[in-house]
Amino acid sequence: MRILLVEDDHLLARTMLDMLRQDQNTVDWLDDGQQALTALNNEHFDLVILDLTLPRLDGLDVLQGARQAGNHTPVIILTARTELNEKLTGLDAGADDYLTKPFAMAELKARIRAVTRRGHSASGDAEIRVGQLRLNTSSGQLMVGHEHAVLPRSEFQILHYLMRHPGQVATRRRLEEQLYGWDSGAESNALEVHIHHLRRRVGKATIRTIRGVGYVLDPDAVTGDTPCH
């Protein structure tokens, strides 16, 4: 899961980054409200953890701006504001949950699980289907016809993105962001290695290389006889 953390308390943010990444999440961190709204308008995230008191643009304004633009990414608000009306204002603006500082990381993780479960329930399914491919977004299990396997995190992140955008070219940069966020330092051929492993599962023709640009998932190339293990 790719998470956007928007928090201007750097000490708290670094602690949260370490804890969230332990659960195999890709976590991007911003400490500025205007940057957060720009990121939400231009990138895909599975969850946003949003502080309310931020430089340049308040967290509520970030949330309202994202919702007005049609962004329905689940949002958990974090704040030191304890008044009930602040909580109600946040929920009315479109937040999915609300956590008051200070909080235990175990509670935040429980809220994350609850919010993401609700998101799956709202959509009616925790599964994405493209052609003969079926990907369970909760368990990470891939099914191709009658074959199935649980994907490693990196392969899941790549295939999850490609299956959300079938037939569309995904640039190398966009796929690497799904794996590493905005952090650099990944080996130059790491993406190719993960794509190679995925092709062994879904069929070489299913994920086509667009030279010099990136990759595209071709749903018509998948057959039920494609190996998945």
Side-chain angles (χ1 to χ4, degrees):
M1 183 163 61
R2 188 180 181 196
I3 298 173
L4 176 62
L5 172 62
V6 190
E7 171 60 67
D8 67 339
D9 181 332
H10 288 206
L11 181 60
L12 174 60
R14 291 191 182 98
T15 300
M16 294 173 67
L17 285 170
D18 290 341
M19 296 296 290
L20 293 169
R21 286 170 176 165
Q22 285 178 7
D23 291 339
Q24 303 301 310
N25 298 301
T26 299
V27 188
D28 294 312
W29 170 36
L30 293 173
D31 61 0
D32 178 280
Q34 186 60 60
Q35 290 177 354
L37 184 57
T38 300
L40 286 170
N41 288 335
N42 292 282
E43 304 284 347
H44 172 85
F45 300 95
D46 301 296
L47 176 72
V48 181
I49 301 174
L50 178 66
D51 187 28
L52 287 188
T53 306
L54 296 167
R56 292 210 293 167
L57 196 64
D58 187 83
L60 282 177
D61 292 327
V62 174
L63 177 57
Q64 290 169 341
R67 294 299 189 237
Q68 289 170 3
N71 189 317
H72 302 294
T73 304
V75 174
I76 298 176
I77 285 179
L78 301 180
T79 183
R81 305 175 189 176
T82 58
E83 293 84 357
L84 177 61
N85 66 318
E86 294 284 358
K87 177 178 180 179
L88 295 177
T89 299
L91 295 173
D92 287 341
D96 296 86
D97 206 345
Y98 193 106
L99 198 55
T100 303
K101 300 175 183 178
F103 57 87
M105 280 301 303
E107 182 178 4
L108 175 59
K109 291 183 178 183
R111 300 293 184 96
I112 290 172
R113 290 192 295 270
V115 165
T116 52
R117 279 199 301 269
R118 287 202 297 271
H120 293 324
S121 299
S123 64
D125 206 341
E127 187 175 83
I128 301 176
R129 298 189 182 198
V130 177
Q132 294 292 319
L133 298 181
R134 297 161 55 194
L135 183 65
N136 188 296
T137 58
S138 296
S139 66
Q141 179 172 271
L142 169 67
M143 295 194 68
V144 184
H146 298 293
E147 299 292 325
H148 62 87
V150 176
L151 298 181
R153 173 191 170 276
S154 296
E155 292 179 33
F156 172 83
Q157 295 281 53
I158 294 170
L159 188 59
H160 187 207
Y161 185 86
L162 291 173
M163 288 181 67
R164 289 200 313 269
H165 305 87
Q168 300 178 26
V169 177
T171 64
R172 285 184 54 91
R173 174 181 172 275
R174 184 54 56 88
L175 291 178
E176 286 174 345
E177 284 178 351
Q178 305 309 304
L179 294 175
Y180 314 112
W182 296 317
D183 293 338
S184 58
E187 295 181 10
S188 60
N189 67 336
L191 180 60
E192 284 82 356
V193 172
H194 296 314
I195 292 289
H196 172 73
H197 291 158
L198 276 173
R199 281 173 168 158
R200 294 176 61 183
R201 299 181 189 277
V202 303
K204 184 176 181 180
T206 302
I207 301 176
R208 294 189 286 111
T209 300
I210 307 301
R211 189 173 298 277
V213 182
Y215 301 91
V216 61
L217 178 72
D218 183 354
D220 297 328
V222 186
T223 70
D225 298 327
T226 303
C228 186
H229 51 79

PDB file of all heavy atoms in Angstrom, residues 88-112:
ATOM      1  N   LEU A  88     -15.845  17.012  14.134  1.00  0.00           N
ATOM      2  CA  LEU A  88     -17.007  16.969  13.247  1.00  0.00           C
ATOM      3  C   LEU A  88     -16.731  17.698  11.936  1.00  0.00           C
ATOM      4  O   LEU A  88     -17.153  17.254  10.868  1.00  0.00           O
ATOM      5  CB  LEU A  88     -18.217  17.576  13.951  1.00  0.00           C
ATOM      6  CG  LEU A  88     -18.715  16.823  15.186  1.00  0.00           C
ATOM      7  CD1 LEU A  88     -19.877  17.567  15.827  1.00  0.00           C
ATOM      8  CD2 LEU A  88     -19.106  15.399  14.846  1.00  0.00           C
ATOM      9  N   THR A  89     -16.013  18.822  12.025  1.00  0.00           N
ATOM     10  CA  THR A  89     -15.671  19.564  10.810  1.00  0.00           C
ATOM     11  C   THR A  89     -14.813  18.707   9.885  1.00  0.00           C
ATOM     12  O   THR A  89     -15.023  18.680   8.657  1.00  0.00           O
ATOM     13  CB  THR A  89     -14.918  20.856  11.165  1.00  0.00           C
ATOM     14  OG1 THR A  89     -15.753  21.680  11.983  1.00  0.00           O
ATOM     15  CG2 THR A  89     -14.539  21.623   9.901  1.00  0.00           C
ATOM     16  N   GLY A  90     -13.854  17.995  10.456  1.00  0.00           N
ATOM     17  CA  GLY A  90     -12.993  17.127   9.652  1.00  0.00           C
ATOM     18  C   GLY A  90     -13.767  16.004   8.994  1.00  0.00           C
ATOM     19  O   GLY A  90     -13.580  15.704   7.808  1.00  0.00           O
ATOM     20  N   LEU A  91     -14.659  15.381   9.753  1.00  0.00           N
ATOM     21  CA  LEU A  91     -15.455  14.291   9.190  1.00  0.00           C
ATOM     22  C   LEU A  91     -16.412  14.807   8.127  1.00  0.00           C
ATOM     23  O   LEU A  91     -16.610  14.174   7.091  1.00  0.00           O
ATOM     24  CB  LEU A  91     -16.216  13.572  10.308  1.00  0.00           C
ATOM     25  CG  LEU A  91     -15.335  12.839  11.333  1.00  0.00           C
ATOM     26  CD1 LEU A  91     -16.183  12.300  12.481  1.00  0.00           C
ATOM     27  CD2 LEU A  91     -14.551  11.707  10.683  1.00  0.00           C
ATOM     28  N   ASP A  92     -17.004  15.982   8.381  1.00  0.00           N
ATOM     29  CA  ASP A  92     -17.916  16.564   7.393  1.00  0.00           C
ATOM     30  C   ASP A  92     -17.180  16.960   6.111  1.00  0.00           C
ATOM     31  O   ASP A  92     -17.770  16.972   5.028  1.00  0.00           O
ATOM     32  CB  ASP A  92     -18.616  17.796   7.974  1.00  0.00           C
ATOM     33  CG  ASP A  92     -19.668  17.432   9.016  1.00  0.00           C
ATOM     34  OD1 ASP A  92     -20.093  16.260   9.028  1.00  0.00           O
ATOM     35  OD2 ASP A  92     -20.039  18.312   9.809  1.00  0.00           O
ATOM     36  N   ALA A  93     -15.895  17.283   6.239  1.00  0.00           N
ATOM     37  CA  ALA A  93     -15.112  17.666   5.060  1.00  0.00           C
ATOM     38  C   ALA A  93     -14.722  16.461   4.214  1.00  0.00           C
ATOM     39  O   ALA A  93     -14.215  16.618   3.106  1.00  0.00           O
ATOM     40  CB  ALA A  93     -13.859  18.420   5.488  1.00  0.00           C
ATOM     41  N   GLY A  94     -14.952  15.262   4.742  1.00  0.00           N
ATOM     42  CA  GLY A  94     -14.673  14.069   3.948  1.00  0.00           C
ATOM     43  C   GLY A  94     -13.640  13.135   4.530  1.00  0.00           C
ATOM     44  O   GLY A  94     -13.233  12.172   3.872  1.00  0.00           O
ATOM     45  N   ALA A  95     -13.191  13.372   5.778  1.00  0.00           N
ATOM     46  CA  ALA A  95     -12.238  12.455   6.400  1.00  0.00           C
ATOM     47  C   ALA A  95     -12.924  11.127   6.709  1.00  0.00           C
ATOM     48  O   ALA A  95     -14.124  11.085   6.989  1.00  0.00           O
ATOM     49  CB  ALA A  95     -11.677  13.059   7.684  1.00  0.00           C
ATOM     50  N   ASP A  96     -12.156  10.047   6.664  1.00  0.00           N
ATOM     51  CA  ASP A  96     -12.700   8.721   6.955  1.00  0.00           C
ATOM     52  C   ASP A  96     -12.527   8.348   8.424  1.00  0.00           C
ATOM     53  O   ASP A  96     -13.256   7.499   8.939  1.00  0.00           O
ATOM     54  CB  ASP A  96     -12.008   7.678   6.070  1.00  0.00           C
ATOM     55  CG  ASP A  96     -12.300   7.913   4.601  1.00  0.00           C
ATOM     56  OD1 ASP A  96     -11.585   8.711   3.971  1.00  0.00           O
ATOM     57  OD2 ASP A  96     -13.262   7.319   4.095  1.00  0.00           O
ATOM     58  N   ASP A  97     -11.556   8.955   9.087  1.00  0.00           N
ATOM     59  CA  ASP A  97     -11.349   8.697  10.507  1.00  0.00           C
ATOM     60  C   ASP A  97     -10.549   9.847  11.089  1.00  0.00           C
ATOM     61  O   ASP A  97     -10.022  10.696  10.354  1.00  0.00           O
ATOM     62  CB  ASP A  97     -10.621   7.368  10.730  1.00  0.00           C
ATOM     63  CG  ASP A  97     -10.924   6.761  12.100  1.00  0.00           C
ATOM     64  OD1 ASP A  97     -11.460   7.477  12.969  1.00  0.00           O
ATOM     65  OD2 ASP A  97     -10.611   5.573  12.294  1.00  0.00           O
ATOM     66  N   TYR A  98     -10.423   9.851  12.415  1.00  0.00           N
ATOM     67  CA  TYR A  98      -9.874  10.997  13.136  1.00  0.00           C
ATOM     68  C   TYR A  98      -9.143  10.472  14.353  1.00  0.00           C
ATOM     69  O   TYR A  98      -9.706   9.695  15.127  1.00  0.00           O
ATOM     70  CB  TYR A  98     -11.035  11.899  13.561  1.00  0.00           C
ATOM     71  CG  TYR A  98     -10.697  13.274  14.038  1.00  0.00           C
ATOM     72  CD1 TYR A  98     -10.950  14.381  13.232  1.00  0.00           C
ATOM     73  CD2 TYR A  98     -10.168  13.497  15.298  1.00  0.00           C
ATOM     74  CE1 TYR A  98     -10.681  15.659  13.660  1.00  0.00           C
ATOM     75  CE2 TYR A  98      -9.890  14.773  15.744  1.00  0.00           C
ATOM     76  CZ  TYR A  98     -10.149  15.855  14.933  1.00  0.00           C
ATOM     77  OH  TYR A  98      -9.874  17.118  15.376  1.00  0.00           O
ATOM     78  N   LEU A  99      -7.890  10.859  14.534  1.00  0.00           N
ATOM     79  CA  LEU A  99      -7.087  10.385  15.659  1.00  0.00           C
ATOM     80  C   LEU A  99      -6.431  11.593  16.319  1.00  0.00           C
ATOM     81  O   LEU A  99      -5.794  12.410  15.662  1.00  0.00           O
ATOM     82  CB  LEU A  99      -6.018   9.407  15.167  1.00  0.00           C
ATOM     83  CG  LEU A  99      -5.359   8.498  16.197  1.00  0.00           C
ATOM     84  CD1 LEU A  99      -6.385   7.684  16.971  1.00  0.00           C
ATOM     85  CD2 LEU A  99      -4.379   7.551  15.496  1.00  0.00           C
ATOM     86  N   THR A 100      -6.609  11.715  17.638  1.00  0.00           N
ATOM     87  CA  THR A 100      -6.093  12.861  18.374  1.00  0.00           C
ATOM     88  C   THR A 100      -4.720  12.552  18.960  1.00  0.00           C
ATOM     89  O   THR A 100      -4.508  11.482  19.528  1.00  0.00           O
ATOM     90  CB  THR A 100      -7.064  13.238  19.512  1.00  0.00           C
ATOM     91  OG1 THR A 100      -8.357  13.509  18.958  1.00  0.00           O
ATOM     92  CG2 THR A 100      -6.581  14.462  20.254  1.00  0.00           C
ATOM     93  N   LYS A 101      -3.795  13.497  18.813  1.00  0.00           N
ATOM     94  CA  LYS A 101      -2.469  13.361  19.399  1.00  0.00           C
ATOM     95  C   LYS A 101      -2.536  13.637  20.899  1.00  0.00           C
ATOM     96  O   LYS A 101      -3.324  14.482  21.331  1.00  0.00           O
ATOM     97  CB  LYS A 101      -1.498  14.362  18.753  1.00  0.00           C
ATOM     98  CG  LYS A 101      -1.320  14.193  17.260  1.00  0.00           C
ATOM     99  CD  LYS A 101      -0.426  15.315  16.725  1.00  0.00           C
ATOM    100  CE  LYS A 101      -0.266  15.249  15.225  1.00  0.00           C
ATOM    101  NZ  LYS A 101       0.549  16.365  14.705  1.00  0.00           N
ATOM    102  N   PRO A 102      -1.701  12.954  21.701  1.00  0.00           N
ATOM    103  CA  PRO A 102      -0.794  11.871  21.313  1.00  0.00           C
ATOM    104  C   PRO A 102      -1.560  10.561  21.121  1.00  0.00           C
ATOM    105  O   PRO A 102      -2.634  10.389  21.686  1.00  0.00           O
ATOM    106  CB  PRO A 102       0.159  11.784  22.505  1.00  0.00           C
ATOM    107  CG  PRO A 102      -0.667  12.221  23.665  1.00  0.00           C
ATOM    108  CD  PRO A 102      -1.594  13.280  23.135  1.00  0.00           C
ATOM    109  N   PHE A 103      -0.998   9.663  20.354  1.00  0.00           N
ATOM    110  CA  PHE A 103      -1.655   8.393  20.078  1.00  0.00           C
ATOM    111  C   PHE A 103      -0.606   7.289  20.045  1.00  0.00           C
ATOM    112  O   PHE A 103       0.594   7.544  19.864  1.00  0.00           O
ATOM    113  CB  PHE A 103      -2.395   8.444  18.734  1.00  0.00           C
ATOM    114  CG  PHE A 103      -1.508   8.795  17.577  1.00  0.00           C
ATOM    115  CD1 PHE A 103      -0.815   7.820  16.890  1.00  0.00           C
ATOM    116  CD2 PHE A 103      -1.361  10.120  17.175  1.00  0.00           C
ATOM    117  CE1 PHE A 103       0.015   8.149  15.827  1.00  0.00           C
ATOM    118  CE2 PHE A 103      -0.549  10.459  16.120  1.00  0.00           C
ATOM    119  CZ  PHE A 103       0.145   9.471  15.445  1.00  0.00           C
ATOM    120  N   ALA A 104      -1.048   6.073  20.207  1.00  0.00           N
ATOM    121  CA  ALA A 104      -0.162   4.909  20.116  1.00  0.00           C
ATOM    122  C   ALA A 104      -0.127   4.441  18.667  1.00  0.00           C
ATOM    123  O   ALA A 104      -1.154   4.439  17.975  1.00  0.00           O
ATOM    124  CB  ALA A 104      -0.656   3.787  21.016  1.00  0.00           C
ATOM    125  N   MET A 105       1.054   4.028  18.196  1.00  0.00           N
ATOM    126  CA  MET A 105       1.166   3.555  16.813  1.00  0.00           C
ATOM    127  C   MET A 105       0.265   2.352  16.571  1.00  0.00           C
ATOM    128  O   MET A 105      -0.272   2.181  15.481  1.00  0.00           O
ATOM    129  CB  MET A 105       2.619   3.207  16.494  1.00  0.00           C
ATOM    130  CG  MET A 105       3.487   4.391  16.160  1.00  0.00           C
ATOM    131  SD  MET A 105       2.894   5.347  14.727  1.00  0.00           S
ATOM    132  CE  MET A 105       2.844   4.096  13.448  1.00  0.00           C
ATOM    133  N   ALA A 106       0.070   1.520  17.602  1.00  0.00           N
ATOM    134  CA  ALA A 106      -0.803   0.352  17.446  1.00  0.00           C
ATOM    135  C   ALA A 106      -2.231   0.796  17.122  1.00  0.00           C
ATOM    136  O   ALA A 106      -2.932   0.151  16.327  1.00  0.00           O
ATOM    137  CB  ALA A 106      -0.786  -0.495  18.713  1.00  0.00           C
ATOM    138  N   GLU A 107      -2.662   1.911  17.735  1.00  0.00           N
ATOM    139  CA  GLU A 107      -4.007   2.410  17.441  1.00  0.00           C
ATOM    140  C   GLU A 107      -4.082   2.945  16.021  1.00  0.00           C
ATOM    141  O   GLU A 107      -5.073   2.708  15.311  1.00  0.00           O
ATOM    142  CB  GLU A 107      -4.412   3.501  18.424  1.00  0.00           C
ATOM    143  CG  GLU A 107      -5.827   4.004  18.180  1.00  0.00           C
ATOM    144  CD  GLU A 107      -6.284   5.056  19.170  1.00  0.00           C
ATOM    145  OE1 GLU A 107      -5.465   5.470  20.016  1.00  0.00           O
ATOM    146  OE2 GLU A 107      -7.457   5.466  19.074  1.00  0.00           O
ATOM    147  N   LEU A 108      -3.055   3.665  15.574  1.00  0.00           N
ATOM    148  CA  LEU A 108      -3.056   4.163  14.204  1.00  0.00           C
ATOM    149  C   LEU A 108      -3.122   3.005  13.218  1.00  0.00           C
ATOM    150  O   LEU A 108      -3.880   3.046  12.242  1.00  0.00           O
ATOM    151  CB  LEU A 108      -1.803   5.006  13.940  1.00  0.00           C
ATOM    152  CG  LEU A 108      -1.626   5.480  12.489  1.00  0.00           C
ATOM    153  CD1 LEU A 108      -2.805   6.334  12.034  1.00  0.00           C
ATOM    154  CD2 LEU A 108      -0.309   6.243  12.339  1.00  0.00           C
ATOM    155  N   LYS A 109      -2.345   1.960  13.462  1.00  0.00           N
ATOM    156  CA  LYS A 109      -2.370   0.815  12.552  1.00  0.00           C
ATOM    157  C   LYS A 109      -3.739   0.155  12.528  1.00  0.00           C
ATOM    158  O   LYS A 109      -4.209  -0.283  11.466  1.00  0.00           O
ATOM    159  CB  LYS A 109      -1.285  -0.190  12.962  1.00  0.00           C
ATOM    160  CG  LYS A 109       0.130   0.304  12.714  1.00  0.00           C
ATOM    161  CD  LYS A 109       1.153  -0.762  13.061  1.00  0.00           C
ATOM    162  CE  LYS A 109       2.568  -0.294  12.758  1.00  0.00           C
ATOM    163  NZ  LYS A 109       3.579  -1.341  13.022  1.00  0.00           N
ATOM    164  N   ALA A 110      -4.407   0.099  13.689  1.00  0.00           N
ATOM    165  CA  ALA A 110      -5.753  -0.464  13.733  1.00  0.00           C
ATOM    166  C   ALA A 110      -6.719   0.397  12.933  1.00  0.00           C
ATOM    167  O   ALA A 110      -7.595  -0.114  12.216  1.00  0.00           O
ATOM    168  CB  ALA A 110      -6.220  -0.593  15.179  1.00  0.00           C
ATOM    169  N   ARG A 111      -6.582   1.718  13.047  1.00  0.00           N
ATOM    170  CA  ARG A 111      -7.449   2.622  12.273  1.00  0.00           C
ATOM    171  C   ARG A 111      -7.197   2.445  10.779  1.00  0.00           C
ATOM    172  O   ARG A 111      -8.123   2.494   9.969  1.00  0.00           O
ATOM    173  CB  ARG A 111      -7.184   4.074  12.671  1.00  0.00           C
ATOM    174  CG  ARG A 111      -7.443   4.401  14.137  1.00  0.00           C
ATOM    175  CD  ARG A 111      -8.918   4.313  14.503  1.00  0.00           C
ATOM    176  NE  ARG A 111      -9.143   4.722  15.878  1.00  0.00           N
ATOM    177  CZ  ARG A 111      -9.507   5.945  16.254  1.00  0.00           C
ATOM    178  NH1 ARG A 111      -9.681   6.889  15.345  1.00  0.00           N
ATOM    179  NH2 ARG A 111      -9.698   6.218  17.532  1.00  0.00           N
ATOM    180  N   ILE A 112      -5.933   2.273  10.392  1.00  0.00           N
ATOM    181  CA  ILE A 112      -5.601   2.066   8.978  1.00  0.00           C
ATOM    182  C   ILE A 112      -6.277   0.804   8.462  1.00  0.00           C
ATOM    183  O   ILE A 112      -6.889   0.794   7.385  1.00  0.00           O
ATOM    184  CB  ILE A 112      -4.078   1.984   8.784  1.00  0.00           C
ATOM    185  CG1 ILE A 112      -3.443   3.362   9.022  1.00  0.00           C
ATOM    186  CG2 ILE A 112      -3.732   1.469   7.381  1.00  0.00           C
ATOM    187  CD1 ILE A 112      -1.935   3.341   9.031  1.00  0.00           C
TER     188      ILE A 112
END
